[in-house]
Amino acid sequence: MIDLRSDTVTVPADGMRKAMARAEVGDDVYGEDPTVNRLQDMVASLLGKRFALFVPSGTMANQLAIRSQTQPGQEIIVESTSHIVRYEQGAAGALAGVQLHWVPGERGIMNAEQVEAAIRPRDPHSIPTALICLENTHNAGGGTIYPLSTIEKIRTVAVRYGIPMHLDGARLMNAVAATTLPPAAYAQHFETVSMCLSKGLGAPVGSLLVSSDQQIIDRARRFRRMYGGAMRQAGILAAAGIYALEHHITRLTEDHTHAKKLARQLQQIPSVQVVPQHVETNIVIFQIADQRRSPAEIVAALKHEGVLINAIGGSSYRAVTHLNVSAKQIDEAGAVFARVLTL
Ligand SMILES: *Cc1c(COP(=O)(O)O)cnc(C)c1O
Protein backbone atom coordinates (compact mmCIF):
# COMPACT_ATOMS: atom_id res chain seq x y z
CA MET A 1 0.00 0.00 0.00
CA ILE A 2 1.29 3.48 -0.89
CA ASP A 3 -0.10 5.66 1.89
CA LEU A 4 -0.34 9.30 0.84
CA ARG A 5 -3.07 10.27 3.32
CA SER A 6 -0.73 12.14 5.63
CA ASP A 7 2.87 12.45 6.78
CA THR A 8 1.62 11.29 10.20
CA VAL A 9 1.50 7.67 8.99
CA THR A 10 5.27 7.23 9.10
CA VAL A 11 6.63 4.47 11.34
CA PRO A 12 9.89 4.64 13.31
CA ALA A 13 12.96 3.33 11.49
CA ASP A 14 15.30 0.82 13.15
CA GLY A 15 17.77 3.49 14.24
CA MET A 16 14.97 5.47 15.85
CA ARG A 17 13.65 2.40 17.67
CA LYS A 18 17.16 1.65 18.96
CA ALA A 19 17.50 5.22 20.24
CA MET A 20 14.14 4.87 22.00
CA ALA A 21 15.14 1.56 23.59
CA ARG A 22 18.40 3.03 24.89
CA ALA A 23 16.93 6.33 26.14
CA GLU A 24 17.87 7.42 29.62
CA VAL A 25 14.65 8.40 31.40
CA GLY A 26 13.25 9.99 34.56
CA ASP A 27 10.01 11.56 35.75
CA ASP A 28 9.37 14.57 33.53
CA VAL A 29 6.72 16.03 35.86
CA TYR A 30 9.65 16.53 38.25
CA GLY A 31 11.68 17.89 35.31
CA GLU A 32 13.99 14.88 35.76
CA ASP A 33 13.87 13.16 32.39
CA PRO A 34 17.32 13.85 30.90
CA THR A 35 16.24 12.88 27.37
CA VAL A 36 13.20 15.17 27.44
CA ASN A 37 15.41 17.95 28.77
CA ARG A 38 17.93 17.36 25.99
CA LEU A 39 15.20 17.44 23.32
CA GLN A 40 13.73 20.64 24.78
CA ASP A 41 17.17 22.31 24.80
CA MET A 42 17.84 21.16 21.23
CA VAL A 43 14.55 22.53 19.88
CA ALA A 44 14.79 25.79 21.82
CA SER A 45 18.24 26.46 20.42
CA LEU A 46 17.22 25.29 16.93
CA LEU A 47 14.51 27.98 16.93
CA GLY A 48 16.67 30.56 18.70
CA LYS A 49 14.43 30.64 21.79
CA ARG A 50 15.19 30.11 25.47
CA PHE A 51 12.64 27.45 26.39
CA ALA A 52 10.77 24.50 24.89
CA LEU A 53 8.10 22.26 26.37
CA PHE A 54 7.56 18.68 25.15
CA VAL A 55 3.86 17.85 24.69
CA PRO A 56 1.93 14.87 23.27
CA SER A 57 0.47 16.57 20.18
CA GLY A 58 0.56 19.60 17.93
CA THR A 59 -3.00 20.36 18.94
CA MET A 60 -1.96 20.56 22.57
CA ALA A 61 1.01 22.79 21.71
CA ASN A 62 -1.29 25.22 19.86
CA GLN A 63 -3.87 25.15 22.62
CA LEU A 64 -1.29 25.78 25.34
CA ALA A 65 -0.02 28.76 23.33
CA ILE A 66 -3.56 30.14 23.11
CA ARG A 67 -4.47 29.41 26.74
CA SER A 68 -1.21 30.87 28.06
CA GLN A 69 -1.48 34.16 26.16
CA THR A 70 -5.18 35.00 26.38
CA GLN A 71 -8.02 35.48 28.86
CA PRO A 72 -11.53 34.03 28.46
CA GLY A 73 -13.71 36.49 26.55
CA GLN A 74 -10.93 37.74 24.30
CA GLU A 75 -10.54 37.16 20.57
CA ILE A 76 -7.72 35.67 18.49
CA ILE A 77 -7.03 36.16 14.79
CA VAL A 78 -6.75 32.93 12.79
CA GLU A 79 -6.81 32.04 9.10
CA SER A 80 -10.19 30.60 8.03
CA THR A 81 -8.87 27.20 6.95
CA SER A 82 -6.21 26.87 9.66
CA HIS A 83 -5.69 23.75 11.76
CA ILE A 84 -6.83 25.72 14.84
CA VAL A 85 -10.16 26.45 13.13
CA ARG A 86 -10.79 23.14 11.42
CA TYR A 87 -9.14 20.32 13.26
CA GLU A 88 -8.87 21.08 16.98
CA GLN A 89 -12.45 20.28 18.00
CA GLY A 90 -13.25 23.83 19.04
CA ALA A 91 -10.62 23.67 21.79
CA ALA A 92 -9.84 27.39 21.74
CA GLY A 93 -13.47 28.12 22.58
CA ALA A 94 -14.01 25.14 24.85
CA LEU A 95 -10.77 25.29 26.84
CA ALA A 96 -9.44 28.85 26.56
CA GLY A 97 -12.81 30.58 26.26
CA VAL A 98 -11.66 32.75 23.37
CA GLN A 99 -13.55 33.71 20.23
CA LEU A 100 -11.98 33.08 16.83
CA HIS A 101 -11.81 35.86 14.24
CA TRP A 102 -11.44 34.15 10.86
CA VAL A 103 -9.45 35.85 8.11
CA PRO A 104 -9.54 34.20 4.66
CA GLY A 105 -6.01 33.78 3.32
CA GLU A 106 -4.69 33.12 -0.17
CA ARG A 107 -3.94 29.37 0.01
CA GLY A 108 -3.73 29.89 3.76
CA ILE A 109 -1.54 33.00 3.69
CA MET A 110 -2.97 36.19 5.21
CA ASN A 111 -1.48 39.58 4.43
CA ALA A 112 -0.71 42.42 6.84
CA GLU A 113 -3.63 44.59 5.65
CA GLN A 114 -6.10 41.79 6.35
CA VAL A 115 -4.64 41.19 9.79
CA GLU A 116 -4.69 44.89 10.65
CA ALA A 117 -8.32 45.14 9.52
CA ALA A 118 -9.22 42.22 11.81
CA ILE A 119 -7.77 43.86 14.94
CA ARG A 120 -10.61 45.23 17.06
CA PRO A 121 -10.58 48.88 18.08
CA ARG A 122 -9.94 49.61 21.74
CA ASP A 123 -13.26 51.03 22.80
CA PRO A 124 -15.89 50.19 25.40
CA HIS A 125 -17.87 48.06 22.93
CA SER A 126 -15.22 45.91 21.25
CA ILE A 127 -13.75 42.56 22.27
CA PRO A 128 -9.97 42.75 22.81
CA THR A 129 -7.75 41.07 20.20
CA ALA A 130 -5.32 38.99 22.23
CA LEU A 131 -3.27 36.89 19.77
CA ILE A 132 -2.48 36.55 16.06
CA CYS A 133 -1.93 32.97 14.82
CA LEU A 134 -0.16 32.02 11.58
CA GLU A 135 0.44 28.52 10.16
CA ASN A 136 3.68 27.66 8.32
CA THR A 137 3.61 25.59 6.23
CA HIS A 138 -0.13 25.89 5.75
CA ASN A 139 -1.76 22.48 5.68
CA ALA A 140 -5.16 23.13 4.05
CA GLY A 141 -3.53 25.77 1.82
CA GLY A 142 -1.52 22.94 0.25
CA GLY A 143 1.75 23.02 2.20
CA THR A 144 2.20 26.72 1.41
CA ILE A 145 5.25 28.49 2.79
CA TYR A 146 4.63 31.83 4.52
CA PRO A 147 6.90 34.33 2.78
CA LEU A 148 9.23 35.77 5.41
CA SER A 149 8.51 39.28 4.10
CA THR A 150 4.78 38.76 4.76
CA ILE A 151 5.50 37.56 8.29
CA GLU A 152 7.68 40.65 8.86
CA LYS A 153 4.88 42.95 7.71
CA ILE A 154 2.32 41.20 9.94
CA ARG A 155 4.81 41.43 12.81
CA THR A 156 5.17 45.18 12.31
CA VAL A 157 1.38 45.53 12.63
CA ALA A 158 1.29 43.24 15.69
CA VAL A 159 4.03 45.23 17.44
CA ARG A 160 2.27 48.50 16.66
CA TYR A 161 -0.89 47.22 18.34
CA GLY A 162 0.96 45.36 21.12
CA ILE A 163 -0.49 41.95 20.18
CA PRO A 164 1.60 38.76 20.59
CA MET A 165 1.94 36.23 17.76
CA HIS A 166 1.83 32.43 17.71
CA LEU A 167 3.14 30.27 14.88
CA ASP A 168 1.58 26.88 14.25
CA GLY A 169 4.80 25.43 12.92
CA ALA A 170 3.63 21.81 12.80
CA ARG A 171 5.55 21.62 9.49
CA LEU A 172 7.97 24.51 10.07
CA MET A 173 10.89 22.24 9.17
CA ASN A 174 9.37 21.67 5.72
CA ALA A 175 9.49 25.45 5.18
CA VAL A 176 13.05 25.48 6.50
CA ALA A 177 14.16 22.62 4.25
CA ALA A 178 12.50 24.21 1.21
CA THR A 179 13.82 27.75 1.70
CA THR A 180 17.11 26.93 3.50
CA LEU A 181 16.28 29.82 5.85
CA PRO A 182 17.37 29.14 9.44
CA PRO A 183 14.41 28.15 11.67
CA ALA A 184 15.14 31.14 13.92
CA ALA A 185 14.55 33.50 10.98
CA TYR A 186 10.90 32.51 11.19
CA ALA A 187 10.68 31.98 14.95
CA GLN A 188 12.08 35.42 15.88
CA HIS A 189 8.78 37.04 14.88
CA PHE A 190 6.65 35.02 17.30
CA GLU A 191 6.21 34.90 21.08
CA THR A 192 5.39 31.19 20.77
CA VAL A 193 6.02 28.53 18.11
CA SER A 194 4.64 24.99 18.02
CA MET A 195 6.40 22.27 16.08
CA CYS A 196 5.51 18.62 15.38
CA LEU A 197 7.96 15.73 15.48
CA SER A 198 5.29 13.29 14.32
CA LYS A 199 4.69 14.67 10.81
CA GLY A 200 7.40 14.66 8.15
CA LEU A 201 10.13 14.31 10.77
CA GLY A 202 8.93 10.76 11.31
CA ALA A 203 8.78 10.41 15.09
CA PRO A 204 5.85 8.38 16.45
CA VAL A 205 4.60 10.96 18.99
CA GLY A 206 5.37 14.45 20.16
CA SER A 207 5.38 18.19 19.59
CA LEU A 208 7.04 21.16 21.24
CA LEU A 209 5.94 24.59 22.31
CA VAL A 210 8.81 27.05 22.16
CA SER A 211 9.17 30.55 23.62
CA SER A 212 11.73 32.90 25.12
CA ASP A 213 9.21 34.15 27.66
CA GLN A 214 9.60 32.40 31.02
CA GLN A 215 6.12 33.45 32.14
CA ILE A 216 4.46 32.00 29.05
CA ILE A 217 6.33 28.70 29.41
CA ASP A 218 5.51 28.47 33.12
CA ARG A 219 1.83 29.04 32.36
CA ALA A 220 1.97 26.53 29.49
CA ARG A 221 3.53 23.93 31.82
CA ARG A 222 0.71 24.41 34.31
CA PHE A 223 -1.95 24.13 31.58
CA ARG A 224 -0.17 21.11 30.09
CA ARG A 225 -0.81 19.43 33.43
CA MET A 226 -4.42 20.68 33.47
CA TYR A 227 -5.01 19.34 29.94
CA GLY A 228 -3.61 15.93 30.90
CA GLY A 229 -0.44 16.25 28.84
CA ALA A 230 2.19 16.02 31.59
CA MET A 231 3.96 12.72 30.97
CA ARG A 232 6.36 10.72 33.12
CA GLN A 233 9.20 8.70 31.49
CA ALA A 234 8.60 10.54 28.23
CA GLY A 235 12.29 10.29 27.34
CA ILE A 236 11.47 7.16 25.33
CA LEU A 237 9.40 9.41 23.04
CA ALA A 238 11.82 12.33 23.23
CA ALA A 239 14.64 10.02 22.07
CA ALA A 240 12.68 9.41 18.87
CA GLY A 241 12.34 13.19 18.47
CA ILE A 242 16.08 13.73 18.91
CA TYR A 243 16.76 11.03 16.33
CA ALA A 244 14.28 12.70 13.97
CA LEU A 245 15.94 16.11 14.34
CA GLU A 246 19.38 14.60 13.76
CA HIS A 247 18.46 12.49 10.73
CA HIS A 248 15.25 13.68 9.12
CA ILE A 249 15.39 17.43 8.54
CA THR A 250 17.53 17.76 5.41
CA ARG A 251 15.86 14.75 3.79
CA LEU A 252 12.51 16.61 3.76
CA THR A 253 13.55 18.07 0.38
CA GLU A 254 13.16 14.54 -1.04
CA ASP A 255 9.50 14.61 -0.01
CA HIS A 256 9.15 17.99 -1.72
CA THR A 257 10.69 16.65 -4.94
CA HIS A 258 8.30 13.68 -4.78
CA ALA A 259 5.27 15.93 -4.25
CA LYS A 260 6.19 18.10 -7.25
CA LYS A 261 6.70 15.01 -9.37
CA LEU A 262 3.35 13.62 -8.28
CA ALA A 263 1.67 16.94 -9.19
CA ARG A 264 3.21 16.84 -12.67
CA GLN A 265 1.98 13.27 -13.13
CA LEU A 266 -1.50 14.24 -11.97
CA GLN A 267 -1.48 17.21 -14.34
CA GLN A 268 -1.33 14.79 -17.31
CA ILE A 269 -4.72 13.31 -16.38
CA PRO A 270 -7.61 15.17 -18.09
CA SER A 271 -10.08 14.77 -15.18
CA VAL A 272 -7.58 16.21 -12.69
CA GLN A 273 -7.02 19.85 -11.92
CA VAL A 274 -3.76 20.69 -10.18
CA VAL A 275 -1.27 23.56 -10.24
CA PRO A 276 2.22 22.09 -9.86
CA GLN A 277 3.69 25.56 -9.16
CA HIS A 278 1.49 25.70 -6.06
CA VAL A 279 3.22 22.61 -4.65
CA GLU A 280 5.86 24.22 -2.43
CA THR A 281 6.54 21.41 0.04
CA ASN A 282 5.14 17.89 0.66
CA ILE A 283 1.39 18.43 0.18
CA VAL A 284 -0.48 18.16 -3.13
CA ILE A 285 -4.08 19.40 -3.23
CA PHE A 286 -5.97 18.66 -6.44
CA GLN A 287 -9.49 18.42 -7.83
CA ILE A 288 -11.05 15.52 -9.71
CA ALA A 289 -13.97 16.12 -12.07
CA ASP A 290 -15.92 12.85 -12.07
CA GLN A 291 -19.71 12.85 -12.53
CA ARG A 292 -20.06 9.10 -12.01
CA ARG A 293 -18.30 8.47 -8.72
CA SER A 294 -18.55 10.07 -5.28
CA PRO A 295 -15.34 11.12 -3.45
CA ALA A 296 -15.69 8.01 -1.23
CA GLU A 297 -15.93 5.81 -4.33
CA ILE A 298 -12.89 7.46 -5.92
CA VAL A 299 -10.86 7.00 -2.72
CA ALA A 300 -11.99 3.34 -2.56
CA ALA A 301 -11.09 2.73 -6.22
CA LEU A 302 -7.58 4.13 -5.63
CA LYS A 303 -7.24 2.06 -2.46
CA HIS A 304 -8.22 -1.05 -4.41
CA GLU A 305 -5.20 -0.33 -6.66
CA GLY A 306 -2.90 0.21 -3.66
CA VAL A 307 -2.90 4.01 -3.21
CA LEU A 308 -4.40 5.82 -0.22
CA ILE A 309 -5.33 9.53 -0.33
CA ASN A 310 -7.81 11.72 1.54
CA ALA A 311 -10.91 13.37 0.12
CA ILE A 312 -11.01 16.82 1.74
CA GLY A 313 -14.41 18.12 0.73
CA GLY A 314 -16.17 18.94 -2.55
CA SER A 315 -14.10 17.65 -5.46
CA SER A 316 -10.80 18.24 -3.62
CA TYR A 317 -8.27 15.61 -2.57
CA ARG A 318 -4.97 15.67 -0.69
CA ALA A 319 -1.84 13.59 -1.18
CA VAL A 320 1.09 13.98 1.21
CA THR A 321 4.60 12.65 0.64
CA HIS A 322 6.81 11.45 3.50
CA LEU A 323 9.82 9.35 4.42
CA ASN A 324 8.02 6.03 3.98
CA VAL A 325 7.23 6.73 0.30
CA SER A 326 10.09 6.09 -2.14
CA ALA A 327 10.72 7.64 -5.56
CA LYS A 328 9.71 4.34 -7.14
CA GLN A 329 6.42 4.34 -5.23
CA ILE A 330 5.69 7.87 -6.46
CA ASP A 331 5.97 6.57 -10.04
CA GLU A 332 3.75 3.62 -9.15
CA ALA A 333 1.20 5.95 -7.55
CA GLY A 334 1.28 8.15 -10.67
CA ALA A 335 0.45 5.11 -12.81
CA VAL A 336 -2.41 4.14 -10.49
CA PHE A 337 -3.84 7.69 -10.61
CA ALA A 338 -3.68 7.63 -14.42
CA ARG A 339 -5.42 4.26 -14.57
CA VAL A 340 -8.16 4.95 -12.03
CA LEU A 341 -8.84 8.60 -12.90
CA THR A 342 -8.83 8.35 -16.68
CA LEU A 343 -12.53 8.23 -17.40
C1 LIG B 1 -0.96 18.05 12.31
C2 LIG B 1 -1.07 19.47 12.57
C3 LIG B 1 -1.18 19.96 13.87
C4 LIG B 1 -1.20 19.09 15.12
O1 LIG B 1 -1.75 17.87 14.96
P1 LIG B 1 -1.73 16.73 16.07
O2 LIG B 1 -2.38 15.62 15.35
O3 LIG B 1 -2.51 17.25 17.21
O4 LIG B 1 -0.31 16.47 16.44
C5 LIG B 1 -1.24 21.31 14.06
N1 LIG B 1 -1.19 22.15 13.02
C6 LIG B 1 -1.08 21.72 11.76
C7 LIG B 1 -0.97 22.73 10.66
C8 LIG B 1 -1.03 20.37 11.48
O5 LIG B 1 -0.93 19.95 10.22
Side-chain angles (χ1 to χ4, degrees):
M1 198 59 81
I2 302 169
D3 196 343
L4 301 171
R5 288 172 302 167
S6 175
D7 47 9
T8 56
V9 301
T10 54
V11 293
D14 281 347
M16 184 179 279
R17 283 183 187 267
K18 287 203 181 87
M20 294 170 78
R22 280 196 305 262
E24 209 188 319
V25 296
D27 190 330
D28 183 47
V29 175
Y30 290 91
E32 290 173 2
D33 189 302
T35 311
V36 170
N37 291 340
R38 191 150 72 84
L39 172 66
Q40 290 178 161
D41 290 345
M42 265 177 89
V43 174
S45 81
L46 182 68
L47 300 198
K49 301 282 191 202
R50 288 173 62 206
F51 311 106
L53 194 62
F54 186 50
V55 298
S57 70
T59 297
M60 188 176 289
N62 283 340
Q63 292 305 321
L64 295 179
I66 293 168
R67 185 70 183 85
S68 304
Q69 295 177 92
T70 61
Q71 297 294 330
Q74 293 183 329
E75 184 169 83
I76 67 174
I77 294 174
V78 288
E79 200 278 328
S80 312
T81 63
S82 62
H83 196 276
I84 290 171
V85 168
R86 284 194 174 177
Y87 306 122
E88 302 192 2
Q89 302 298 327
L95 304 178
V98 295
Q99 173 170 303
L100 303 185
H101 189 132
W102 298 15
V103 174
E106 172 78 27
R107 288 185 292 126
I109 308 299
M110 303 181 286
N111 64 45
E113 292 73 29
Q114 289 179 299
V115 171
E116 182 162 13
I119 296 172
R120 303 288 182 183
R122 282 191 201 176
D123 63 36
H125 308 293
S126 299
I127 179 170
T129 302
L131 187 67
I132 297 165
C133 300
L134 311 189
E135 186 175 310
N136 188 24
T137 64
H138 198 288
N139 179 353
T144 356
I145 299 169
Y146 243 103
L148 196 55
S149 58
T150 306
I151 296 175
E152 285 164 358
K153 288 187 188 114
I154 294 174
R155 181 61 168 177
T156 303
V157 169
V159 168
R160 184 152 21 97
Y161 288 84
I163 300 169
M165 301 215 332
H166 168 66
L167 178 64
D168 178 349
R171 294 189 182 82
L172 179 61
M173 288 305 140
N174 289 87
V176 164
T179 60
T180 70
L181 285 167
Y186 288 111
Q188 64 176 327
H189 298 296
F190 299 88
E191 274 65 26
T192 51
V193 181
S194 61
M195 194 185 110
C196 286
L197 301 167
S198 56
K199 299 277 167 79
L201 292 177
V205 177
S207 288
L208 290 112
L209 180 66
V210 187
S211 181
S212 284
D213 188 322
Q214 174 100 54
Q215 251 184 322
I216 293 174
I217 284 291
D218 287 348
R219 284 168 62 79
R221 188 178 288 102
R222 189 173 94 77
F223 291 120
R224 180 182 69 170
R225 178 80 178 153
M226 186 188 284
Y227 290 4
M231 299 180 287
R232 301 295 181 171
Q233 285 72 36
I236 290 173
L237 302 175
I242 292 170
Y243 184 93
L245 293 171
E246 286 173 344
H247 296 89
H248 293 165
I249 294 181
T250 51
R251 67 149 305 288
L252 289 171
T253 54
E254 268 177 56
D255 299 343
H256 302 169
T257 305
H258 291 167
K260 285 193 183 81
K261 187 165 187 203
L262 194 60
R264 285 194 301 270
Q265 289 168 340
L266 285 165
Q267 197 187 24
Q268 307 302 314
I269 307 169
S271 67
V272 173
Q273 222 191 344
V274 64
V275 184
Q277 304 90 280
H278 286 177
V279 177
E280 300 177 31
T281 55
N282 69 327
I283 299 176
V284 186
I285 289 182
F286 56 101
Q287 285 74 40
I288 302 172
D290 185 335
Q291 309 302 331
R292 291 181 301 118
R293 295 176 293 187
S294 70
E297 287 168 337
I298 291 172
V299 167
L302 289 165
K303 182 179 179 183
H304 187 72
E305 300 290 320
V307 174
L308 289 173
I309 60 166
N310 277 340
I312 56 168
S315 59
S316 292
Y317 298 81
R318 189 185 80 159
V320 185
T321 57
H322 53 78
L323 84 173
N324 290 153
V325 180
S326 66
K328 184 165 157 282
Q329 287 178 310
I330 291 296
D331 288 335
E332 287 168 16
V336 167
F337 283 122
R339 204 156 62 235
V340 173
L341 302 179
T342 301
L343 307 173

